[in-house]
Structure formats: C-alpha cells, structure tokens
Amino acid sequence: MRGDPYGSHRVISPKGLLPQAAERVDNSPTICSNEILIDVIALQPTATAFGRIKQECGGDVNRIAQEIQKIVDERGKFQDPVTKSGGILIGRIKEIGADLAGSTDAQVGDKIATLVSLSLTPLKINEITSIDVDTEQVFCKASAILFESGIYTKLPEDLGDQLSLALMDVAGAPAQVAVHVKAGDTVVVVGAGKAGLLCLAEAKKRVAPTGKVICMEYSPRQCEIVRSLGIADVVLEADAKKPLEALDIYQNALGDQLADFTVNTVSVPNTELATVLVTKDTGMVYFFSMSTDFAKASLGAEGIKKYVPMLIGNGYYPGHAEIAFDAVRREEKLRDYFTKRYCK
C-alpha cells in the first residue's frame, strides 16, 4: 500500500487534516511503501514544550516521563497540547518502503536525525529509559515513521549523537541568519540559549569585517558565557519581557543604531515588542521561538507605528543541518561548550 506523501493517510482525527494539525494519528509501525521506519534512540522536544511540561511536573523526572508517555499514547505523536510544538528525534533506520528504496541515499542501519517536527511524526513509545532534564533529551525505546515528504540528515561521526541531536533541534535558526545577514549589518539575537548561541556564531561570520553582533539575554550567567565564547560584540543583560526597559538598555549601549536583522530565540512569552523595538523599520525580525504570539508581534508593531517585516520560525531551510554543524566545527570555544553541555 502506498500512502499520501504528506502523511494524511495516518490521520485518525479530525479527518481531512495533515498530521501536524491533527489531534491523533496512526502510529502503527507497519509502514506503507513510501514510508521509512525508525528505531528511535532519543527525542529532543522543543525548549518551549519541554519547559512547560517540566514546570507542570515540578521538575520531577518520573512525572515528566509519564506526561510525555501520556501525550504520545493519546495522540500517536509527541505534540505538546498547550504549545503545539514537538521537537526532533535521532534513531536508526529499520525499514525503507519499496517505493523509496531507489530514491534515497539512506540505508537500513543508518543513524539519522529527523528534520521534521515530532508534532507530525507518528511515534510509538514502548519505554522511556531515561530523561536528562538539563539537556532536555528523552532516551527511549520507540518506533517512528518518516513520510515520503519527510527530511532527515545522517549524523556526523565527528560530533556524536547527543550533540548532533541538540544541534538539529534548532538548526533552522542559524540557517536564516546565514540567508538574511550580510557584511556590515547590525544583528541582534534575543536569547542566548542553544539556538541563540548558534545564531550569534553565524552572525559573527556573516557581518564581518564591519558589522556588529549584539546579544540581548536575561541571565547574567548566560551573558558571561557569551562573552567568554567571543561570539558577540556587545552583550546586554536585559529582560525582553519588559520592552521599554530593554530598549533603554539597548539605546544606552548603541544609541540609535537599531538592528538590520533581529532573531528572537527565547522560550518564554511576551518578548515580541522588545524584539520589534530594537529593529529598524527597514530591517527584519525572525521569530524562531514557538512561544511567540504572532498577534502580539504584528498588532504590537502596528500599535507603535513600526514597519518591520517578520519571518515565522520555519525550522527547515535547504542545507540547514550543515550550516549548524559547520558553525560548531568553526567555533572551537562554542564546540567545547556544547560538548561539555550535551555529551555526558
């Protein structure tokens, strides 16, 4: 049997939708001729989804595991019911449908990371073996389905599974920096988590030799990390949830030099207006975070008479995996930081 290339044949309810928008999908490990079956090694939920579940469960690992298992049992996929976001996974290819066997460079046994969201990926968890609350990675025995339209990347041997998994979850962010930033630009990155650090490193490369990269981060500790990595020209300790205060801090440091390109990577709500305020009218804002309220962003910009084109955080761009891998390979200090953080 051949399935729909986009996976609509797996939708249980509501019928007529694609898998991401569906409430429930068929996660049977019996594949169609144009699907790939994956033996899952680990999940990397989005920071937005994992953070919400962690908070709701009081940080208790057993409760977090139970909640993730419950979501997957009910939905046939991992899609946080509140944030609607998912994440990615790594695993080994177990079976390739006959119709795909000659049209893909993948082979049974290859270790891959999926580059489509868990919010649309049929997933059946048999057992959650461990959860690293610090890295937000979920190790499990599970099976997953990749549709014909699904994308993936083979894991690079030089970076290791855990680091590769961490990078692929946010690879779309530095890719958009690579596409939109040019030499001489002023770039602001709001948030210095995993995605933010990659964006800073990529921006530093793209704006050289005359541009400027600014990091705006709430955490004093994370600000120090950015300074130590040398991937920002200016590091501002500011709370983006307080837009006027954040703008004041920005202007005290940079005057009227607003951003040509601003990336918002934070995983908490209500940072939209600060992001818009530090961007010039002729610039652009990229909202990568799934915690973004796009009504607040667009209507808020309108309310302050700000014409700023905005990009939605699409996690896919052709070649985005290699852009993220190359950023880490290129920046030795960043690679060391990520290795200590994720490779345990």
Side-chain angles (χ1 to χ4, degrees), residues 107-134:
Q107 297 181 353
V108 171
D110 282 350
K111 194 178 292 185
I112 63 170
T114 58
L115 300 178
V116 291
S117 176
L118 290 175
S119 66
L120 61 83
T121 303
L123 175 68
K124 186 177 181 63
I125 296 179
N126 298 314
E127 180 187 1
I128 294 177
T129 54
S130 65
I131 294 178
D132 189 323
V133 176
D134 186 39

PDB file of all heavy atoms in Angstrom, residues 107-134:
ATOM      1  N   GLN A 107      20.222   3.999   4.004  1.00  0.00           N
ATOM      2  CA  GLN A 107      20.206   2.548   4.018  1.00  0.00           C
ATOM      3  C   GLN A 107      19.777   2.064   5.395  1.00  0.00           C
ATOM      4  O   GLN A 107      19.929   2.779   6.398  1.00  0.00           O
ATOM      5  CB  GLN A 107      21.599   1.990   3.689  1.00  0.00           C
ATOM      6  CG  GLN A 107      22.099   2.347   2.304  1.00  0.00           C
ATOM      7  CD  GLN A 107      23.470   1.754   2.011  1.00  0.00           C
ATOM      8  OE1 GLN A 107      24.115   1.183   2.891  1.00  0.00           O
ATOM      9  NE2 GLN A 107      23.921   1.892   0.778  1.00  0.00           N
ATOM     10  N   VAL A 108      19.241   0.872   5.431  1.00  0.00           N
ATOM     11  CA  VAL A 108      18.878   0.262   6.711  1.00  0.00           C
ATOM     12  C   VAL A 108      20.125   0.220   7.604  1.00  0.00           C
ATOM     13  O   VAL A 108      21.207  -0.164   7.161  1.00  0.00           O
ATOM     14  CB  VAL A 108      18.311  -1.153   6.503  1.00  0.00           C
ATOM     15  CG1 VAL A 108      18.147  -1.872   7.848  1.00  0.00           C
ATOM     16  CG2 VAL A 108      16.971  -1.086   5.781  1.00  0.00           C
ATOM     17  N   GLY A 109      19.965   0.674   8.833  1.00  0.00           N
ATOM     18  CA  GLY A 109      21.075   0.715   9.779  1.00  0.00           C
ATOM     19  C   GLY A 109      21.697   2.084   9.930  1.00  0.00           C
ATOM     20  O   GLY A 109      22.433   2.333  10.899  1.00  0.00           O
ATOM     21  N   ASP A 110      21.426   2.995   8.991  1.00  0.00           N
ATOM     22  CA  ASP A 110      21.978   4.348   9.095  1.00  0.00           C
ATOM     23  C   ASP A 110      21.397   5.064  10.313  1.00  0.00           C
ATOM     24  O   ASP A 110      20.206   4.943  10.625  1.00  0.00           O
ATOM     25  CB  ASP A 110      21.637   5.173   7.849  1.00  0.00           C
ATOM     26  CG  ASP A 110      22.514   4.842   6.660  1.00  0.00           C
ATOM     27  OD1 ASP A 110      23.503   4.120   6.848  1.00  0.00           O
ATOM     28  OD2 ASP A 110      22.194   5.305   5.549  1.00  0.00           O
ATOM     29  N   LYS A 111      22.256   5.823  10.974  1.00  0.00           N
ATOM     30  CA  LYS A 111      21.815   6.619  12.114  1.00  0.00           C
ATOM     31  C   LYS A 111      21.482   8.020  11.602  1.00  0.00           C
ATOM     32  O   LYS A 111      22.319   8.668  10.962  1.00  0.00           O
ATOM     33  CB  LYS A 111      22.905   6.686  13.182  1.00  0.00           C
ATOM     34  CG  LYS A 111      22.426   7.200  14.532  1.00  0.00           C
ATOM     35  CD  LYS A 111      23.555   7.203  15.561  1.00  0.00           C
ATOM     36  CE  LYS A 111      23.982   5.806  15.940  1.00  0.00           C
ATOM     37  NZ  LYS A 111      25.004   5.840  17.039  1.00  0.00           N
ATOM     38  N   ILE A 112      20.257   8.474  11.875  1.00  0.00           N
ATOM     39  CA  ILE A 112      19.796   9.740  11.318  1.00  0.00           C
ATOM     40  C   ILE A 112      19.130  10.606  12.386  1.00  0.00           C
ATOM     41  O   ILE A 112      18.739  10.127  13.445  1.00  0.00           O
ATOM     42  CB  ILE A 112      18.786   9.534  10.166  1.00  0.00           C
ATOM     43  CG1 ILE A 112      17.511   8.832  10.691  1.00  0.00           C
ATOM     44  CG2 ILE A 112      19.407   8.754   9.019  1.00  0.00           C
ATOM     45  CD1 ILE A 112      16.362   8.789   9.695  1.00  0.00           C
ATOM     46  N   ALA A 113      19.018  11.879  12.060  1.00  0.00           N
ATOM     47  CA  ALA A 113      18.172  12.799  12.818  1.00  0.00           C
ATOM     48  C   ALA A 113      17.066  13.246  11.889  1.00  0.00           C
ATOM     49  O   ALA A 113      17.327  13.616  10.738  1.00  0.00           O
ATOM     50  CB  ALA A 113      18.971  14.007  13.303  1.00  0.00           C
ATOM     51  N   THR A 114      15.829  13.196  12.352  1.00  0.00           N
ATOM     52  CA  THR A 114      14.736  13.704  11.532  1.00  0.00           C
ATOM     53  C   THR A 114      14.756  15.228  11.582  1.00  0.00           C
ATOM     54  O   THR A 114      15.081  15.819  12.609  1.00  0.00           O
ATOM     55  CB  THR A 114      13.378  13.184  12.036  1.00  0.00           C
ATOM     56  OG1 THR A 114      13.190  13.569  13.402  1.00  0.00           O
ATOM     57  CG2 THR A 114      13.300  11.672  11.922  1.00  0.00           C
ATOM     58  N   LEU A 115      14.393  15.845  10.472  1.00  0.00           N
ATOM     59  CA  LEU A 115      14.379  17.302  10.386  1.00  0.00           C
ATOM     60  C   LEU A 115      12.958  17.827  10.181  1.00  0.00           C
ATOM     61  O   LEU A 115      12.757  18.931   9.690  1.00  0.00           O
ATOM     62  CB  LEU A 115      15.302  17.769   9.253  1.00  0.00           C
ATOM     63  CG  LEU A 115      16.774  17.363   9.402  1.00  0.00           C
ATOM     64  CD1 LEU A 115      17.585  17.822   8.202  1.00  0.00           C
ATOM     65  CD2 LEU A 115      17.369  17.913  10.698  1.00  0.00           C
ATOM     66  N   VAL A 116      11.994  17.004  10.549  1.00  0.00           N
ATOM     67  CA  VAL A 116      10.602  17.432  10.598  1.00  0.00           C
ATOM     68  C   VAL A 116      10.128  17.285  12.043  1.00  0.00           C
ATOM     69  O   VAL A 116      10.652  16.483  12.809  1.00  0.00           O
ATOM     70  CB  VAL A 116       9.698  16.612   9.659  1.00  0.00           C
ATOM     71  CG1 VAL A 116      10.014  16.921   8.212  1.00  0.00           C
ATOM     72  CG2 VAL A 116       9.852  15.112   9.918  1.00  0.00           C
ATOM     73  N   SER A 117       9.131  18.056  12.401  1.00  0.00           N
ATOM     74  CA  SER A 117       8.706  18.133  13.791  1.00  0.00           C
ATOM     75  C   SER A 117       8.088  16.834  14.307  1.00  0.00           C
ATOM     76  O   SER A 117       7.370  16.131  13.592  1.00  0.00           O
ATOM     77  CB  SER A 117       7.688  19.272  13.940  1.00  0.00           C
ATOM     78  OG  SER A 117       7.182  19.318  15.255  1.00  0.00           O
ATOM     79  N   LEU A 118       8.357  16.553  15.581  1.00  0.00           N
ATOM     80  CA  LEU A 118       7.672  15.447  16.253  1.00  0.00           C
ATOM     81  C   LEU A 118       6.171  15.678  16.313  1.00  0.00           C
ATOM     82  O   LEU A 118       5.405  14.730  16.511  1.00  0.00           O
ATOM     83  CB  LEU A 118       8.214  15.285  17.679  1.00  0.00           C
ATOM     84  CG  LEU A 118       9.643  14.763  17.820  1.00  0.00           C
ATOM     85  CD1 LEU A 118      10.062  14.772  19.290  1.00  0.00           C
ATOM     86  CD2 LEU A 118       9.782  13.360  17.246  1.00  0.00           C
ATOM     87  N   SER A 119       5.740  16.918  16.136  1.00  0.00           N
ATOM     88  CA  SER A 119       4.309  17.224  16.187  1.00  0.00           C
ATOM     89  C   SER A 119       3.551  16.661  14.997  1.00  0.00           C
ATOM     90  O   SER A 119       2.320  16.683  14.977  1.00  0.00           O
ATOM     91  CB  SER A 119       4.084  18.735  16.266  1.00  0.00           C
ATOM     92  OG  SER A 119       4.507  19.377  15.084  1.00  0.00           O
ATOM     93  N   LEU A 120       4.265  16.126  14.005  1.00  0.00           N
ATOM     94  CA  LEU A 120       3.612  15.486  12.864  1.00  0.00           C
ATOM     95  C   LEU A 120       4.123  14.077  12.607  1.00  0.00           C
ATOM     96  O   LEU A 120       3.682  13.403  11.679  1.00  0.00           O
ATOM     97  CB  LEU A 120       3.764  16.341  11.607  1.00  0.00           C
ATOM     98  CG  LEU A 120       5.172  16.648  11.086  1.00  0.00           C
ATOM     99  CD1 LEU A 120       5.740  15.532  10.242  1.00  0.00           C
ATOM    100  CD2 LEU A 120       5.163  17.942  10.283  1.00  0.00           C
ATOM    101  N   THR A 121       5.062  13.612  13.432  1.00  0.00           N
ATOM    102  CA  THR A 121       5.720  12.317  13.220  1.00  0.00           C
ATOM    103  C   THR A 121       5.044  11.210  14.023  1.00  0.00           C
ATOM    104  O   THR A 121       5.059  11.233  15.257  1.00  0.00           O
ATOM    105  CB  THR A 121       7.201  12.404  13.650  1.00  0.00           C
ATOM    106  OG1 THR A 121       7.849  13.445  12.922  1.00  0.00           O
ATOM    107  CG2 THR A 121       7.912  11.082  13.414  1.00  0.00           C
ATOM    108  N   PRO A 122       4.434  10.210  13.361  1.00  0.00           N
ATOM    109  CA  PRO A 122       3.873   9.086  14.106  1.00  0.00           C
ATOM    110  C   PRO A 122       4.944   8.441  14.987  1.00  0.00           C
ATOM    111  O   PRO A 122       6.031   8.107  14.516  1.00  0.00           O
ATOM    112  CB  PRO A 122       3.396   8.131  13.009  1.00  0.00           C
ATOM    113  CG  PRO A 122       3.104   9.028  11.846  1.00  0.00           C
ATOM    114  CD  PRO A 122       4.166  10.100  11.915  1.00  0.00           C
ATOM    115  N   LEU A 123       4.611   8.285  16.271  1.00  0.00           N
ATOM    116  CA  LEU A 123       5.588   7.826  17.260  1.00  0.00           C
ATOM    117  C   LEU A 123       4.915   6.876  18.233  1.00  0.00           C
ATOM    118  O   LEU A 123       3.823   7.159  18.735  1.00  0.00           O
ATOM    119  CB  LEU A 123       6.152   9.035  18.009  1.00  0.00           C
ATOM    120  CG  LEU A 123       7.119   8.784  19.170  1.00  0.00           C
ATOM    121  CD1 LEU A 123       8.442   8.219  18.667  1.00  0.00           C
ATOM    122  CD2 LEU A 123       7.364  10.082  19.947  1.00  0.00           C
ATOM    123  N   LYS A 124       5.569   5.763  18.490  1.00  0.00           N
ATOM    124  CA  LYS A 124       5.066   4.794  19.470  1.00  0.00           C
ATOM    125  C   LYS A 124       6.187   4.520  20.470  1.00  0.00           C
ATOM    126  O   LYS A 124       7.216   3.943  20.116  1.00  0.00           O
ATOM    127  CB  LYS A 124       4.625   3.501  18.792  1.00  0.00           C
ATOM    128  CG  LYS A 124       3.955   2.503  19.735  1.00  0.00           C
ATOM    129  CD  LYS A 124       3.479   1.291  18.973  1.00  0.00           C
ATOM    130  CE  LYS A 124       2.774   0.285  19.879  1.00  0.00           C
ATOM    131  NZ  LYS A 124       1.548   0.830  20.491  1.00  0.00           N
ATOM    132  N   ILE A 125       5.987   4.950  21.707  1.00  0.00           N
ATOM    133  CA  ILE A 125       6.992   4.761  22.751  1.00  0.00           C
ATOM    134  C   ILE A 125       6.678   3.490  23.536  1.00  0.00           C
ATOM    135  O   ILE A 125       5.608   3.365  24.135  1.00  0.00           O
ATOM    136  CB  ILE A 125       7.042   5.960  23.709  1.00  0.00           C
ATOM    137  CG1 ILE A 125       7.488   7.226  22.965  1.00  0.00           C
ATOM    138  CG2 ILE A 125       8.011   5.680  24.866  1.00  0.00           C
ATOM    139  CD1 ILE A 125       7.534   8.473  23.835  1.00  0.00           C
ATOM    140  N   ASN A 126       7.618   2.554  23.536  1.00  0.00           N
ATOM    141  CA  ASN A 126       7.461   1.334  24.332  1.00  0.00           C
ATOM    142  C   ASN A 126       7.977   1.531  25.755  1.00  0.00           C
ATOM    143  O   ASN A 126       7.409   1.004  26.704  1.00  0.00           O
ATOM    144  CB  ASN A 126       8.215   0.181  23.656  1.00  0.00           C
ATOM    145  CG  ASN A 126       7.659  -0.119  22.276  1.00  0.00           C
ATOM    146  OD1 ASN A 126       6.450  -0.200  22.091  1.00  0.00           O
ATOM    147  ND2 ASN A 126       8.542  -0.247  21.301  1.00  0.00           N
ATOM    148  N   GLU A 127       9.052   2.318  25.875  1.00  0.00           N
ATOM    149  CA  GLU A 127       9.621   2.568  27.200  1.00  0.00           C
ATOM    150  C   GLU A 127      10.509   3.805  27.164  1.00  0.00           C
ATOM    151  O   GLU A 127      11.312   3.967  26.243  1.00  0.00           O
ATOM    152  CB  GLU A 127      10.459   1.367  27.649  1.00  0.00           C
ATOM    153  CG  GLU A 127      11.096   1.521  29.022  1.00  0.00           C
ATOM    154  CD  GLU A 127      12.051   0.391  29.363  1.00  0.00           C
ATOM    155  OE1 GLU A 127      12.233  -0.520  28.525  1.00  0.00           O
ATOM    156  OE2 GLU A 127      12.630   0.428  30.475  1.00  0.00           O
ATOM    157  N   ILE A 128      10.328   4.672  28.140  1.00  0.00           N
ATOM    158  CA  ILE A 128      11.252   5.789  28.324  1.00  0.00           C
ATOM    159  C   ILE A 128      12.309   5.322  29.312  1.00  0.00           C
ATOM    160  O   ILE A 128      12.015   5.025  30.468  1.00  0.00           O
ATOM    161  CB  ILE A 128      10.522   7.045  28.838  1.00  0.00           C
ATOM    162  CG1 ILE A 128       9.547   7.558  27.771  1.00  0.00           C
ATOM    163  CG2 ILE A 128      11.526   8.138  29.214  1.00  0.00           C
ATOM    164  CD1 ILE A 128       8.715   8.739  28.196  1.00  0.00           C
ATOM    165  N   THR A 129      13.544   5.220  28.856  1.00  0.00           N
ATOM    166  CA  THR A 129      14.599   4.648  29.696  1.00  0.00           C
ATOM    167  C   THR A 129      15.259   5.687  30.602  1.00  0.00           C
ATOM    168  O   THR A 129      15.673   5.372  31.712  1.00  0.00           O
ATOM    169  CB  THR A 129      15.671   3.977  28.818  1.00  0.00           C
ATOM    170  OG1 THR A 129      16.149   4.921  27.847  1.00  0.00           O
ATOM    171  CG2 THR A 129      15.070   2.775  28.081  1.00  0.00           C
ATOM    172  N   SER A 130      15.365   6.934  30.134  1.00  0.00           N
ATOM    173  CA  SER A 130      15.927   7.992  30.965  1.00  0.00           C
ATOM    174  C   SER A 130      15.615   9.352  30.350  1.00  0.00           C
ATOM    175  O   SER A 130      15.342   9.461  29.150  1.00  0.00           O
ATOM    176  CB  SER A 130      17.446   7.839  31.129  1.00  0.00           C
ATOM    177  OG  SER A 130      18.097   8.003  29.892  1.00  0.00           O
ATOM    178  N   ILE A 131      15.683  10.374  31.199  1.00  0.00           N
ATOM    179  CA  ILE A 131      15.492  11.750  30.747  1.00  0.00           C
ATOM    180  C   ILE A 131      16.584  12.606  31.368  1.00  0.00           C
ATOM    181  O   ILE A 131      16.818  12.543  32.576  1.00  0.00           O
ATOM    182  CB  ILE A 131      14.107  12.301  31.162  1.00  0.00           C
ATOM    183  CG1 ILE A 131      12.999  11.537  30.446  1.00  0.00           C
ATOM    184  CG2 ILE A 131      14.014  13.801  30.837  1.00  0.00           C
ATOM    185  CD1 ILE A 131      11.601  11.991  30.834  1.00  0.00           C
ATOM    186  N   ASP A 132      17.261  13.385  30.539  1.00  0.00           N
ATOM    187  CA  ASP A 132      18.236  14.339  31.028  1.00  0.00           C
ATOM    188  C   ASP A 132      17.545  15.696  31.098  1.00  0.00           C
ATOM    189  O   ASP A 132      17.336  16.342  30.062  1.00  0.00           O
ATOM    190  CB  ASP A 132      19.451  14.397  30.097  1.00  0.00           C
ATOM    191  CG  ASP A 132      20.603  15.211  30.676  1.00  0.00           C
ATOM    192  OD1 ASP A 132      20.318  16.230  31.342  1.00  0.00           O
ATOM    193  OD2 ASP A 132      21.770  14.845  30.453  1.00  0.00           O
ATOM    194  N   VAL A 133      17.156  16.094  32.291  1.00  0.00           N
ATOM    195  CA  VAL A 133      16.408  17.334  32.456  1.00  0.00           C
ATOM    196  C   VAL A 133      17.259  18.533  32.053  1.00  0.00           C
ATOM    197  O   VAL A 133      16.733  19.538  31.542  1.00  0.00           O
ATOM    198  CB  VAL A 133      15.912  17.482  33.916  1.00  0.00           C
ATOM    199  CG1 VAL A 133      15.212  18.815  34.126  1.00  0.00           C
ATOM    200  CG2 VAL A 133      14.964  16.347  34.262  1.00  0.00           C
ATOM    201  N   ASP A 134      18.558  18.435  32.227  1.00  0.00           N
ATOM    202  CA  ASP A 134      19.450  19.545  31.915  1.00  0.00           C
ATOM    203  C   ASP A 134      19.534  19.796  30.413  1.00  0.00           C
ATOM    204  O   ASP A 134      19.457  20.935  29.947  1.00  0.00           O
ATOM    205  CB  ASP A 134      20.842  19.267  32.486  1.00  0.00           C
ATOM    206  CG  ASP A 134      21.777  20.447  32.328  1.00  0.00           C
ATOM    207  OD1 ASP A 134      21.318  21.598  32.494  1.00  0.00           O
ATOM    208  OD2 ASP A 134      22.973  20.230  32.047  1.00  0.00           O
TER     209      ASP A 134
END
